[in-house]
Short mmCIF file of all heavy atoms in Angstrom, two decimals:
data_model
loop_
_atom_site.label_atom_id
_atom_site.label_comp_id
_atom_site.label_asym_id
_atom_site.label_seq_id
_atom_site.Cartn_x
_atom_site.Cartn_y
_atom_site.Cartn_z
N ALA A 15 -44.41 10.84 96.05
CA ALA A 15 -45.85 10.60 96.21
C ALA A 15 -46.63 11.87 95.95
O ALA A 15 -47.67 11.86 95.28
CB ALA A 15 -46.15 10.06 97.60
N LEU A 16 -46.15 13.00 96.46
CA LEU A 16 -46.83 14.28 96.23
C LEU A 16 -46.82 14.63 94.75
O LEU A 16 -47.81 15.10 94.20
CB LEU A 16 -46.18 15.39 97.04
CG LEU A 16 -46.48 15.42 98.52
CD1 LEU A 16 -45.60 16.45 99.22
CD2 LEU A 16 -47.95 15.70 98.76
N SER A 33 -48.62 14.01 67.13
CA SER A 33 -49.29 14.54 65.94
C SER A 33 -48.41 14.38 64.70
O SER A 33 -48.88 13.93 63.65
CB SER A 33 -49.65 16.00 66.16
OG SER A 33 -50.33 16.51 65.05
N ARG A 40 -50.04 8.78 58.21
CA ARG A 40 -51.12 8.91 57.23
C ARG A 40 -50.54 8.91 55.81
O ARG A 40 -51.03 8.20 54.94
CB ARG A 40 -51.92 10.18 57.46
CG ARG A 40 -52.90 10.41 56.32
CD ARG A 40 -53.68 11.67 56.26
NE ARG A 40 -53.33 12.73 57.14
CZ ARG A 40 -54.20 13.62 57.59
NH1 ARG A 40 -55.46 13.53 57.27
NH2 ARG A 40 -53.81 14.61 58.34
N GLU A 49 -50.56 2.12 46.18
CA GLU A 49 -49.68 1.27 45.39
C GLU A 49 -50.19 -0.18 45.37
O GLU A 49 -50.22 -0.82 44.31
CB GLU A 49 -48.27 1.32 45.96
CG GLU A 49 -47.27 0.46 45.22
CD GLU A 49 -45.88 0.48 45.83
OE1 GLU A 49 -45.63 1.24 46.79
OE2 GLU A 49 -45.03 -0.28 45.34
N LEU A 50 -50.61 -0.69 46.52
CA LEU A 50 -51.09 -2.07 46.59
C LEU A 50 -52.41 -2.25 45.84
O LEU A 50 -52.61 -3.27 45.18
CB LEU A 50 -51.24 -2.50 48.05
CG LEU A 50 -49.94 -2.63 48.83
CD1 LEU A 50 -50.21 -2.89 50.31
CD2 LEU A 50 -49.05 -3.73 48.24
N GLY A 60 -60.92 -7.97 38.86
CA GLY A 60 -61.87 -6.94 39.23
C GLY A 60 -61.27 -5.57 39.43
O GLY A 60 -60.10 -5.32 39.13
N ARG A 63 -63.44 -1.17 44.93
CA ARG A 63 -64.67 -0.52 45.37
C ARG A 63 -64.55 -0.26 46.87
O ARG A 63 -63.83 -0.95 47.58
CB ARG A 63 -65.87 -1.41 45.14
CG ARG A 63 -66.10 -1.75 43.69
CD ARG A 63 -67.43 -2.48 43.54
NE ARG A 63 -67.50 -3.13 42.26
CZ ARG A 63 -67.87 -2.52 41.14
NH1 ARG A 63 -68.19 -1.28 41.14
NH2 ARG A 63 -67.93 -3.20 40.01
N GLU A 78 -65.24 3.01 75.00
CA GLU A 78 -65.31 3.98 73.91
C GLU A 78 -64.26 5.09 74.02
O GLU A 78 -64.50 6.21 73.59
CB GLU A 78 -66.71 4.55 73.78
CG GLU A 78 -67.73 3.49 73.42
CD GLU A 78 -69.08 4.07 73.09
OE1 GLU A 78 -69.14 5.19 72.59
OE2 GLU A 78 -70.07 3.38 73.34
N PHE A 80 -59.91 5.61 73.56
CA PHE A 80 -58.67 4.95 73.17
C PHE A 80 -57.47 5.75 73.65
O PHE A 80 -57.50 6.97 73.70
CB PHE A 80 -58.61 4.80 71.64
CG PHE A 80 -59.64 3.85 71.13
CD1 PHE A 80 -60.88 4.30 70.71
CD2 PHE A 80 -59.38 2.50 71.07
CE1 PHE A 80 -61.83 3.42 70.25
CE2 PHE A 80 -60.32 1.61 70.60
CZ PHE A 80 -61.56 2.07 70.20
N GLN A 88 -58.42 1.01 53.99
CA GLN A 88 -59.07 -0.25 53.61
C GLN A 88 -59.66 -0.12 52.21
O GLN A 88 -60.09 0.96 51.81
CB GLN A 88 -60.18 -0.59 54.60
CG GLN A 88 -59.68 -0.80 56.01
CD GLN A 88 -60.81 -1.09 56.98
OE1 GLN A 88 -61.74 -0.31 57.10
NE2 GLN A 88 -60.71 -2.22 57.66
N ARG A 90 -61.79 -2.71 49.00
CA ARG A 90 -62.39 -3.97 48.56
C ARG A 90 -62.13 -4.08 47.06
O ARG A 90 -62.51 -3.20 46.29
CB ARG A 90 -63.89 -3.95 48.84
CG ARG A 90 -64.58 -5.16 48.30
CD ARG A 90 -66.06 -5.04 48.52
NE ARG A 90 -66.74 -5.63 47.39
CZ ARG A 90 -67.99 -5.96 47.37
NH1 ARG A 90 -68.76 -5.72 48.42
NH2 ARG A 90 -68.52 -6.50 46.32
N LEU A 102 -55.24 -15.02 46.79
CA LEU A 102 -54.21 -14.52 47.69
C LEU A 102 -52.82 -14.84 47.17
O LEU A 102 -51.91 -14.02 47.30
CB LEU A 102 -54.43 -15.06 49.10
CG LEU A 102 -55.72 -14.56 49.77
CD1 LEU A 102 -55.85 -15.14 51.17
CD2 LEU A 102 -55.79 -13.05 49.80
N PHE A 126 -62.09 -16.81 57.48
CA PHE A 126 -61.43 -15.95 56.50
C PHE A 126 -60.04 -16.51 56.20
O PHE A 126 -59.47 -17.25 56.99
CB PHE A 126 -61.27 -14.53 57.03
CG PHE A 126 -62.57 -13.80 57.28
CD1 PHE A 126 -62.55 -12.52 57.82
CD2 PHE A 126 -63.81 -14.35 57.01
CE1 PHE A 126 -63.73 -11.83 58.08
CE2 PHE A 126 -64.99 -13.68 57.26
CZ PHE A 126 -64.94 -12.40 57.80
N ALA A 130 -50.80 -11.82 55.11
CA ALA A 130 -50.33 -10.64 55.84
C ALA A 130 -48.88 -10.36 55.54
O ALA A 130 -48.11 -11.26 55.18
CB ALA A 130 -50.52 -10.85 57.34
N LEU A 136 -45.31 -0.47 58.99
CA LEU A 136 -46.58 -0.69 58.29
C LEU A 136 -46.94 -2.17 58.27
O LEU A 136 -46.08 -3.03 58.11
CB LEU A 136 -46.49 -0.19 56.84
CG LEU A 136 -46.25 1.30 56.61
CD1 LEU A 136 -46.24 1.59 55.13
CD2 LEU A 136 -47.29 2.13 57.32
N THR A 143 -62.90 -13.29 52.44
CA THR A 143 -63.94 -13.69 53.40
C THR A 143 -64.90 -14.73 52.84
O THR A 143 -65.80 -15.16 53.55
CB THR A 143 -64.77 -12.46 53.83
OG1 THR A 143 -65.42 -11.92 52.67
CG2 THR A 143 -63.88 -11.41 54.47
N ASP A 151 -56.24 -4.24 53.99
CA ASP A 151 -56.03 -3.36 55.15
C ASP A 151 -54.57 -2.98 55.18
O ASP A 151 -53.70 -3.85 55.08
CB ASP A 151 -56.34 -4.07 56.48
CG ASP A 151 -57.82 -4.29 56.72
OD1 ASP A 151 -58.64 -3.76 55.96
OD2 ASP A 151 -58.14 -5.01 57.68
N VAL A 157 -49.85 4.71 68.13
CA VAL A 157 -49.12 5.85 68.69
C VAL A 157 -49.94 6.40 69.85
O VAL A 157 -51.14 6.67 69.71
CB VAL A 157 -48.93 6.95 67.63
CG1 VAL A 157 -48.26 8.18 68.22
CG2 VAL A 157 -48.16 6.43 66.43
N LEU A 168 -60.19 10.69 67.82
CA LEU A 168 -61.25 9.72 67.53
C LEU A 168 -62.25 10.29 66.53
O LEU A 168 -62.81 9.56 65.71
CB LEU A 168 -61.96 9.31 68.83
CG LEU A 168 -62.88 8.13 68.76
CD1 LEU A 168 -62.15 6.88 68.28
CD2 LEU A 168 -63.51 7.87 70.12
#
Side-chain angles (χ1 to χ4, degrees):
L16 284 172
S33 182
R40 172 187 11 210
E49 179 182 355
L50 292 173
R63 299 188 196 276
E78 297 188 31
F80 293 92
Q88 298 178 304
R90 175 184 144 165
L102 295 180
F126 296 177
L136 297 182
T143 62
D151 288 351
V157 176
L168 192 58

